Amino acid sequence: MPYTVPKLTDYSAPALEKAANECISACTAESAQVRTDADLKSFRDRWMARKQGILTQINDRWLKDAPKEAKREAGIQVNALKARITELVEAAHASGAPALDNECLDISLPGVRRPIGAEHPVVKTSNEIVSVFGKLGYSVAEGPVVETDYYNFEALNFPPDHPARDTQDTLFIAGQQSTPARDRLLLRTHTSPVQIRTMEKMRPPVRIVIPGKVHRNDPPDASHSPMFHQIEGLAVDTSITFGDLKGTLDHAMKALFGSSVRTHFRPSFFPFTEPSAELYVTCFICGGKGKRGYDPCRPCKQSGWIEVLGCGMVDPNVFEFVKDNGYDPKKVSGFAFGMGVDRLALLKYGVDDIQLFFQGDVRFFEQFG
Ligand code: PHE
């Protein structure tokens, strides 16, 4: 016979307790019968439904109907009972018998193995470049990715409204119309702002490399990404010459790409270096021949040369911005360079689409493990 809520005639504590215990055993027995989700639902409804559920009936018959003098005791008993029944109903689940009858622990099973990750090819390339300069005595500096107009442009000798700014398709942070122009925030378009930040903090001589993320408003394709990586270099001391720049970069390229590469400088323009140059290395795919067997060499567009970075002697106008920290352009000189790490990683690993670096597909990255 399914449990029904008895009417009470005796409201004494022992009588209430007995009634409560019967109710609890009935509920326990019913909860053990629950097998399916449908069972669970009707079990819940039977006990908890607001209108006709057993708990409501108990409330009516044992509490509301209790004579005045028994109300207090009945209240205590009924509340305790409600709490217990609610617990039982909430613990019931559709797995049938209580959990431990079905489950057991097999301690001989091996644990879940977490695969060891591989270094990202861009990070790996970046670390290699940094370590080549580390051996030459360079230290590492970093700066913010969200930068001000002052550091990204103005202090690098890009005057406001100068057309050279157009060469860097800049992503500005929105809603800054009321901010003074030099404080406006943007995503840095190159790592060069860290040249200024470093010179503000460190007096000369400095020798630093600056790896980091940069952003430009370029639509993504096989060779462009709105986010990419650069490594900047800066050396400042008394009497640093263009010869030092050439020697340092020639050494670095041989260390990175092999001792047989040759380097070659072509004049260029950057507002913050004067003179400026682009550095080319002999194509390390075709060895500078422009051909692979009878096929044209694609990475160097058959020229035998690959452009790897921009560089030059620090423009005296740049030193003017940090003059007070020991960078009097009449006393110090220096060189700077900046290279795109992702492009070098593409060439180095023979990857033909830069997007692969940033899509996070494990099958691609496994190849570098
Ligand atoms: N910042 C330049 C760029 O992003 C590269 C560069 C760095 C050129 C340092 C000269 C000196 O294109």
Side-chain angles (χ1 to χ4, degrees):
M1 271 293 281
Y3 176 79
T4 51
V5 181
K7 273 198 187 313
L8 297 184
T9 43
D10 182 357
Y11 285 91
S12 67
L16 276 164
E17 212 171 299
K18 183 166 170 271
N21 283 341
E22 278 167 18
C23 178
I24 290 166
S25 356
C27 185
T28 312
E30 283 183 31
S31 90
Q33 296 303 313
V34 171
R35 292 279 177 277
T36 64
D37 285 339
D39 292 350
L40 185 63
K41 184 173 178 332
S42 53
F43 171 66
R44 285 217 169 122
D45 288 349
R46 179 169 143 74
W47 287 85
M48 307 285 284
R50 231 166 257 280
K51 273 206 172 148
Q52 275 309 307
I54 291 175
L55 280 187
T56 308
Q57 293 177 39
I58 287 176
N59 208 51
D60 290 344
R61 294 192 184 168
W62 298 2
L63 192 58
K64 283 195 190 148
D65 292 355
K68 237 192 186 148
E69 65 281 4
K71 276 235 165 35
R72 210 180 96 81
E73 184 59 32
I76 296 170
Q77 291 279 354
V78 167
N79 278 344
L81 177 63
K82 275 187 188 165
R84 182 74 193 111
I85 298 286
T86 310
E87 247 172 55
L88 283 170
V89 172
E90 268 162 17
H93 49 84
S95 66
L100 280 177
D101 284 1
N102 274 351
E103 288 171 16
C104 58
L105 185 62
D106 181 352
I107 56 165
S108 67
L109 278 174
V112 181
R113 257 177 234 277
R114 296 195 187 278
I116 296 173
E119 205 173 24
H120 190 287
V122 172
V123 174
K124 196 167 167 172
T125 307
S126 178
N127 288 344
E128 277 168 23
I129 300 169
V130 167
S131 94
V132 166
F133 286 95
K135 287 181 190 137
L136 293 177
Y138 284 65
S139 47
V140 180
E142 281 182 318
V145 175
V146 179
E147 191 47 285
T148 61
D149 185 281
Y150 176 77
Y151 287 109
N152 197 78
F153 290 125
E154 202 179 321
L156 288 168
N157 199 30
F158 289 82
D161 303 320
H162 193 278
R165 291 186 174 212
D166 294 349
T167 61
Q168 312 219 345
D169 298 295
T170 312
L171 292 160
F172 288 90
I173 307 287
Q176 300 186 90
Q177 290 76 359
S178 53
T179 313
R182 53 155 41 197
D183 297 332
R184 286 192 197 155
L185 297 173
L186 45 83
L187 297 180
R188 68 176 178 194
T189 57
H190 49 178
T191 40
S192 304
V194 192
Q195 289 187 29
I196 305 291
R197 287 183 174 278
T198 305
M199 289 191 283
E200 282 179 350
K201 277 189 264 155
M202 287 166 63
R203 297 179 70 83
V206 295
R207 274 198 238 77
I208 46 159
V209 277
I210 305 147
K213 274 189 182 35
V214 302
H215 293 78
R216 290 191 196 177
N217 187 15
D218 281 329
D221 64 24
S223 54
H224 293 87
S225 162
M227 186 284 300
F228 57 103
H229 300 80
Q230 287 191 335
I231 292 188
E232 188 86 8
L234 174 70
V236 183
D237 205 337
T238 48
S239 68
I240 288 207
T241 67
F242 201 88
D244 296 317
L245 167 62
K246 287 183 82 173
T248 304
L249 291 179
D250 184 73
H251 166 84
M253 295 304 126
K254 289 188 161 73
L256 282 172
F257 303 119
S259 54
S260 58
V261 301
R262 282 172 294 130
T263 54
H264 157 105
F265 291 78
R266 291 187 199 170
S268 183
F269 172 78
F270 300 101
F272 40 96
T273 46
E274 183 61 34
S276 303
E278 270 151 14
L279 171 64
Y280 286 74
V281 295
T282 39
C283 178
F284 35 85
I285 312 289
C286 65
K289 291 195 219 49
K291 279 187 288 190
R292 295 165 85 184
Y294 291 108
D295 296 330
C297 180
R298 275 209 292 152
C300 66
K301 301 193 185 88
Q302 302 179 59
S303 71
W305 293 96
I306 289 182
E307 186 201 328
V308 282
L309 54 79
C311 58
M313 302 305 291
V314 178
D315 193 303
N317 289 347
V318 171
F319 285 137
E320 288 291 339
F321 287 91
V322 284
K323 198 172 177 175
D324 293 344
N325 201 29
Y327 293 89
D328 181 344
K330 291 195 192 72
K331 295 189 183 137
V332 295
S333 60
F335 63 76
F337 56 87
M339 59 188 112
V341 182
D342 318 75
R343 217 173 73 84
L344 292 175
L346 287 177
L347 292 166
K348 189 170 151 195
Y349 293 109
V351 174
D352 56 13
D353 186 349
I354 193 173
Q355 300 305 321
L356 289 164
F357 283 151
F358 308 126
Q359 285 162 344
D361 188 330
V362 177
R363 290 166 302 179
F364 171 71
F365 291 115
E366 267 170 356
Q367 303 174 76
F368 303 92

